[in-house]
Short mmCIF file of all heavy atoms in Angstrom, two decimals:
data_model
loop_
_atom_site.label_atom_id
_atom_site.label_comp_id
_atom_site.label_asym_id
_atom_site.label_seq_id
_atom_site.Cartn_x
_atom_site.Cartn_y
_atom_site.Cartn_z
N LEU A 1495 -6.69 4.79 -8.85
CA LEU A 1495 -7.35 5.60 -9.88
C LEU A 1495 -8.67 5.03 -10.39
O LEU A 1495 -9.62 5.79 -10.59
CB LEU A 1495 -6.39 5.83 -11.05
CG LEU A 1495 -5.28 6.85 -10.83
CD1 LEU A 1495 -4.37 6.91 -12.05
CD2 LEU A 1495 -5.86 8.23 -10.54
N PRO A 1496 -8.79 3.71 -10.63
CA PRO A 1496 -10.08 3.21 -11.14
C PRO A 1496 -11.19 3.19 -10.09
O PRO A 1496 -12.33 2.85 -10.42
CB PRO A 1496 -9.75 1.78 -11.59
CG PRO A 1496 -8.27 1.68 -11.61
CD PRO A 1496 -7.78 2.63 -10.58
N TYR A 1497 -10.85 3.53 -8.83
CA TYR A 1497 -11.81 3.39 -7.74
C TYR A 1497 -11.96 4.68 -6.93
O TYR A 1497 -12.24 4.64 -5.73
CB TYR A 1497 -11.38 2.23 -6.83
CG TYR A 1497 -11.43 0.91 -7.56
CD1 TYR A 1497 -10.32 0.46 -8.29
CD2 TYR A 1497 -12.59 0.14 -7.59
CE1 TYR A 1497 -10.36 -0.72 -9.00
CE2 TYR A 1497 -12.63 -1.05 -8.30
CZ TYR A 1497 -11.52 -1.49 -9.01
OH TYR A 1497 -11.57 -2.66 -9.72
N LEU A 1498 -11.82 5.81 -7.58
CA LEU A 1498 -11.93 7.08 -6.87
C LEU A 1498 -13.34 7.29 -6.31
O LEU A 1498 -13.51 7.93 -5.27
CB LEU A 1498 -11.56 8.24 -7.79
CG LEU A 1498 -10.09 8.29 -8.26
CD1 LEU A 1498 -9.87 9.51 -9.14
CD2 LEU A 1498 -9.13 8.30 -7.09
N ASP A 1499 -14.35 6.77 -7.00
CA ASP A 1499 -15.71 6.89 -6.48
C ASP A 1499 -15.86 6.13 -5.17
O ASP A 1499 -16.50 6.60 -4.22
CB ASP A 1499 -16.72 6.37 -7.52
CG ASP A 1499 -16.49 4.90 -7.91
OD1 ASP A 1499 -15.32 4.48 -8.02
OD2 ASP A 1499 -17.49 4.18 -8.11
N ILE A 1500 -15.24 4.96 -5.10
CA ILE A 1500 -15.28 4.15 -3.89
C ILE A 1500 -14.51 4.84 -2.77
O ILE A 1500 -14.96 4.89 -1.62
CB ILE A 1500 -14.70 2.75 -4.15
CG1 ILE A 1500 -15.47 2.04 -5.28
CG2 ILE A 1500 -14.71 1.92 -2.88
CD1 ILE A 1500 -16.92 1.80 -5.00
N LEU A 1501 -13.36 5.37 -3.10
CA LEU A 1501 -12.55 6.09 -2.12
C LEU A 1501 -13.34 7.24 -1.49
O LEU A 1501 -13.33 7.43 -0.28
CB LEU A 1501 -11.28 6.60 -2.79
CG LEU A 1501 -10.34 7.48 -1.96
CD1 LEU A 1501 -9.88 6.77 -0.71
CD2 LEU A 1501 -9.16 7.93 -2.81
N ARG A 1502 -14.01 8.01 -2.33
CA ARG A 1502 -14.80 9.13 -1.83
C ARG A 1502 -15.90 8.65 -0.90
O ARG A 1502 -16.12 9.22 0.19
CB ARG A 1502 -15.42 9.88 -3.03
CG ARG A 1502 -16.35 11.03 -2.67
CD ARG A 1502 -15.58 12.26 -2.24
NE ARG A 1502 -15.33 12.32 -0.80
CZ ARG A 1502 -14.44 13.12 -0.24
NH1 ARG A 1502 -13.69 13.92 -0.97
NH2 ARG A 1502 -14.28 13.13 1.07
N GLU A 1503 -16.57 7.59 -1.29
CA GLU A 1503 -17.70 7.12 -0.48
C GLU A 1503 -17.23 6.53 0.84
O GLU A 1503 -17.83 6.77 1.89
CB GLU A 1503 -18.51 6.09 -1.27
CG GLU A 1503 -19.84 5.77 -0.65
CD GLU A 1503 -20.92 5.45 -1.67
OE1 GLU A 1503 -20.59 5.29 -2.86
OE2 GLU A 1503 -22.09 5.36 -1.27
N VAL A 1504 -16.15 5.76 0.80
CA VAL A 1504 -15.62 5.19 2.03
C VAL A 1504 -15.18 6.30 2.98
O VAL A 1504 -15.49 6.29 4.18
CB VAL A 1504 -14.45 4.24 1.72
CG1 VAL A 1504 -13.69 3.86 3.00
CG2 VAL A 1504 -14.97 2.97 1.04
N THR A 1505 -14.46 7.29 2.45
CA THR A 1505 -13.99 8.40 3.28
C THR A 1505 -15.15 9.13 3.94
O THR A 1505 -15.06 9.56 5.10
CB THR A 1505 -13.19 9.40 2.43
OG1 THR A 1505 -12.06 8.72 1.86
CG2 THR A 1505 -12.70 10.56 3.25
N ASP A 1506 -16.26 9.26 3.24
CA ASP A 1506 -17.41 9.97 3.78
C ASP A 1506 -18.13 9.19 4.88
O ASP A 1506 -18.93 9.77 5.63
CB ASP A 1506 -18.41 10.28 2.66
CG ASP A 1506 -17.93 11.41 1.74
OD1 ASP A 1506 -16.99 12.13 2.13
OD2 ASP A 1506 -18.50 11.55 0.64
N HIS A 1507 -17.86 7.87 4.97
CA HIS A 1507 -18.64 7.05 5.90
C HIS A 1507 -17.84 6.49 7.07
O HIS A 1507 -18.45 5.96 8.00
CB HIS A 1507 -19.31 5.89 5.14
CG HIS A 1507 -20.50 6.31 4.34
ND1 HIS A 1507 -20.40 6.82 3.07
CD2 HIS A 1507 -21.84 6.30 4.64
CE1 HIS A 1507 -21.61 7.11 2.61
NE2 HIS A 1507 -22.49 6.81 3.54
N VAL A 1508 -16.51 6.54 7.03
CA VAL A 1508 -15.74 6.01 8.15
C VAL A 1508 -15.18 7.17 8.98
O VAL A 1508 -15.00 8.28 8.47
CB VAL A 1508 -14.59 5.09 7.70
CG1 VAL A 1508 -15.14 3.90 6.93
CG2 VAL A 1508 -13.55 5.84 6.88
N ASN A 1509 -14.92 6.89 10.24
CA ASN A 1509 -14.42 7.94 11.15
C ASN A 1509 -12.95 7.73 11.48
O ASN A 1509 -12.48 8.17 12.53
CB ASN A 1509 -15.26 7.99 12.42
CG ASN A 1509 -15.25 6.68 13.19
OD1 ASN A 1509 -14.64 5.70 12.75
ND2 ASN A 1509 -15.93 6.64 14.33
N VAL A 1510 -12.23 7.03 10.59
CA VAL A 1510 -10.79 6.85 10.74
C VAL A 1510 -10.13 7.33 9.45
O VAL A 1510 -10.81 7.51 8.42
CB VAL A 1510 -10.43 5.37 10.99
CG1 VAL A 1510 -11.07 4.87 12.29
CG2 VAL A 1510 -10.84 4.49 9.81
N PRO A 1511 -8.82 7.57 9.45
CA PRO A 1511 -8.15 7.99 8.22
C PRO A 1511 -8.29 6.96 7.10
O PRO A 1511 -8.35 5.76 7.35
CB PRO A 1511 -6.69 8.15 8.65
CG PRO A 1511 -6.74 8.36 10.13
CD PRO A 1511 -7.90 7.56 10.62
N THR A 1512 -8.31 7.45 5.88
CA THR A 1512 -8.43 6.58 4.70
C THR A 1512 -7.14 6.65 3.88
O THR A 1512 -6.65 7.73 3.57
CB THR A 1512 -9.61 7.02 3.82
OG1 THR A 1512 -10.78 7.14 4.62
CG2 THR A 1512 -9.86 5.99 2.73
N ALA A 1513 -6.64 5.48 3.54
CA ALA A 1513 -5.48 5.36 2.67
C ALA A 1513 -5.92 4.82 1.32
O ALA A 1513 -6.97 4.17 1.21
CB ALA A 1513 -4.43 4.44 3.29
N VAL A 1514 -5.11 5.07 0.31
CA VAL A 1514 -5.37 4.50 -1.01
C VAL A 1514 -4.04 3.99 -1.56
O VAL A 1514 -3.00 4.61 -1.37
CB VAL A 1514 -6.02 5.52 -1.97
CG1 VAL A 1514 -5.11 6.72 -2.22
CG2 VAL A 1514 -6.43 4.87 -3.29
N TYR A 1515 -4.09 2.84 -2.21
CA TYR A 1515 -2.90 2.22 -2.77
C TYR A 1515 -2.96 2.37 -4.29
O TYR A 1515 -3.79 1.76 -4.95
CB TYR A 1515 -2.86 0.74 -2.39
CG TYR A 1515 -1.52 0.05 -2.54
CD1 TYR A 1515 -1.17 -0.99 -1.68
CD2 TYR A 1515 -0.60 0.40 -3.53
CE1 TYR A 1515 0.04 -1.65 -1.79
CE2 TYR A 1515 0.61 -0.25 -3.66
CZ TYR A 1515 0.93 -1.28 -2.78
OH TYR A 1515 2.13 -1.94 -2.91
N SER A 1516 -2.07 3.22 -4.82
CA SER A 1516 -1.92 3.32 -6.27
C SER A 1516 -1.05 2.16 -6.70
O SER A 1516 0.18 2.19 -6.52
CB SER A 1516 -1.29 4.66 -6.65
OG SER A 1516 -1.20 4.80 -8.05
N VAL A 1517 -1.64 1.14 -7.28
CA VAL A 1517 -1.00 -0.18 -7.37
C VAL A 1517 -0.05 -0.28 -8.56
O VAL A 1517 0.08 0.64 -9.38
CB VAL A 1517 -2.06 -1.29 -7.42
CG1 VAL A 1517 -2.90 -1.28 -6.16
CG2 VAL A 1517 -2.94 -1.17 -8.66
N SER A 1518 0.57 -1.45 -8.66
CA SER A 1518 1.63 -1.68 -9.64
C SER A 1518 1.19 -1.43 -11.07
O SER A 1518 1.94 -0.85 -11.87
CB SER A 1518 2.14 -3.11 -9.51
OG SER A 1518 1.09 -4.05 -9.71
N GLY A 1519 -0.04 -1.84 -11.41
CA GLY A 1519 -0.51 -1.64 -12.78
C GLY A 1519 -0.67 -0.17 -13.12
O GLY A 1519 -0.42 0.24 -14.26
N GLU A 1520 -1.07 0.64 -12.14
CA GLU A 1520 -1.17 2.08 -12.36
C GLU A 1520 0.21 2.67 -12.60
O GLU A 1520 0.40 3.49 -13.51
CB GLU A 1520 -1.83 2.74 -11.15
CG GLU A 1520 -3.26 2.26 -10.87
CD GLU A 1520 -3.78 2.78 -9.55
OE1 GLU A 1520 -3.88 4.01 -9.39
OE2 GLU A 1520 -4.10 1.96 -8.67
N TYR A 1521 1.17 2.27 -11.78
CA TYR A 1521 2.55 2.72 -11.95
C TYR A 1521 3.08 2.33 -13.33
O TYR A 1521 3.64 3.17 -14.06
CB TYR A 1521 3.43 2.12 -10.87
CG TYR A 1521 4.91 2.35 -11.07
CD1 TYR A 1521 5.53 3.50 -10.59
CD2 TYR A 1521 5.69 1.41 -11.74
CE1 TYR A 1521 6.89 3.71 -10.77
CE2 TYR A 1521 7.05 1.62 -11.93
CZ TYR A 1521 7.65 2.77 -11.46
OH TYR A 1521 8.99 2.97 -11.65
N SER A 1522 2.91 1.07 -13.71
CA SER A 1522 3.50 0.57 -14.95
C SER A 1522 2.88 1.21 -16.18
O SER A 1522 3.57 1.43 -17.18
CB SER A 1522 3.36 -0.96 -15.01
OG SER A 1522 4.12 -1.56 -13.99
#
Side-chain angles (χ1 to χ4, degrees):
L1495 285 177
Y1497 296 88
L1498 295 181
D1499 59 322
I1500 302 298
L1501 175 58
R1502 176 77 269 164
E1503 192 147 10
V1504 168
T1505 300
D1506 286 346
H1507 284 84
V1508 300
N1509 60 358
V1510 299
T1512 309
V1514 62
Y1515 197 149
S1516 183
V1517 299
S1518 59
E1520 298 172 62
Y1521 171 87
S1522 295

